[in-house]
Amino acid sequence: MRNIKRDFTQEISIPQAKAFLKRGSYIGDEFLLIDDVDENSFPLSQRKLNCLLILLCEEGTLLYKIDRHKLIAHTYDICIFNVNQTLYFYNKSRSHYKGKAIMVAPSQIQKLANDFKRFATESICRHMSSSTSIPSKKSYTIFSSFSNN
């Protein structure tokens, strides 16, 4: 058996995705939202994630390997890939995929989790103290200022 050295110097990061895709809404290199992801949006080789990546499969299928496990995402599936996982999208020539992506820098993951926790806690407390079933009209903005390129 041949010993194959795996080179993970190529990463999937927000700056790299902004440069490669040349589209999306972003806040610096901390958050990136891409509304029109397709099978051609993904790298051709195995990459190590340098961010949190969330994909929503709106149409078709996405075949990928995550840390050597083969998986398939179908329409309406949500895929969440964590920092430092090794990701490889394969079989792109025979699969059709359309979806959306959110990328979050590692420095922002804990802040985002705290914002969601606060939102969920306040919503549950407000609902439990309310005598009516009408939901609160208070809204939360987690992503506040985006730039479009």
Side-chain angles (χ1 to χ4, degrees):
M1 180 183 274
R2 215 168 61 177
N3 186 6
I4 299 172
K5 181 181 176 187
R6 298 194 180 271
D7 181 14
F8 295 127
T9 57
Q10 294 182 336
E11 295 182 330
I12 295 176
S13 66
I14 293 172
Q16 177 265 346
K18 286 169 37 181
F20 177 74
L21 297 172
K22 297 181 179 24
R23 64 182 186 274
S25 301
Y26 56 89
I27 301 174
D29 289 337
E30 305 299 318
F31 298 97
L32 174 62
L33 303 176
I34 306 166
D35 286 331
D36 56 344
V37 177
D38 61 22
E39 61 272 4
N40 297 315
S41 301
F42 302 110
L44 298 174
S45 61
Q46 165 174 287
R47 303 286 174 103
K48 185 174 180 179
L49 284 168
N50 189 21
C51 59
L52 176 72
L53 173 62
I54 303 169
L55 295 175
L56 167 63
C57 184
E58 295 180 305
E59 185 180 309
T61 58
L62 181 65
L63 291 78
Y64 62 94
K65 285 183 186 178
I66 189 77
D67 294 333
R68 298 185 181 154
H69 299 281
K70 288 184 179 182
L71 300 164
I72 300 173
H74 299 281
T75 304
Y76 306 119
D77 284 351
I78 296 174
C79 304
I80 302 173
F81 306 108
N82 210 350
V83 177
N84 293 324
Q85 287 187 305
T86 303
L87 186 58
Y88 173 61
F89 297 97
Y90 67 96
N91 203 14
K92 290 184 280 201
S93 62
R94 288 187 267 158
S95 64
H96 167 73
Y97 172 82
K98 293 230 181 265
K100 298 186 183 317
I102 300 173
M103 299 174 80
V104 181
S107 62
Q108 297 299 310
I109 294 171
Q110 187 61 49
K111 182 184 179 316
L112 189 62
N114 290 341
D115 288 346
F116 279 120
K117 182 178 177 183
R118 187 185 76 240
F119 168 74
T121 303
E122 290 177 8
S123 296
I124 291 168
C125 291
R126 197 180 318 91
H127 178 70
M128 291 175 71
S129 65
S130 172
S131 60
T132 173
S133 62
I134 298 172
S136 168
K137 296 196 186 248
K138 185 174 182 182
S139 65
Y140 291 84
T141 303
I142 294 171
F143 304 110
S144 58
S145 59
F146 288 100
S147 302
N148 287 319
N149 56 342

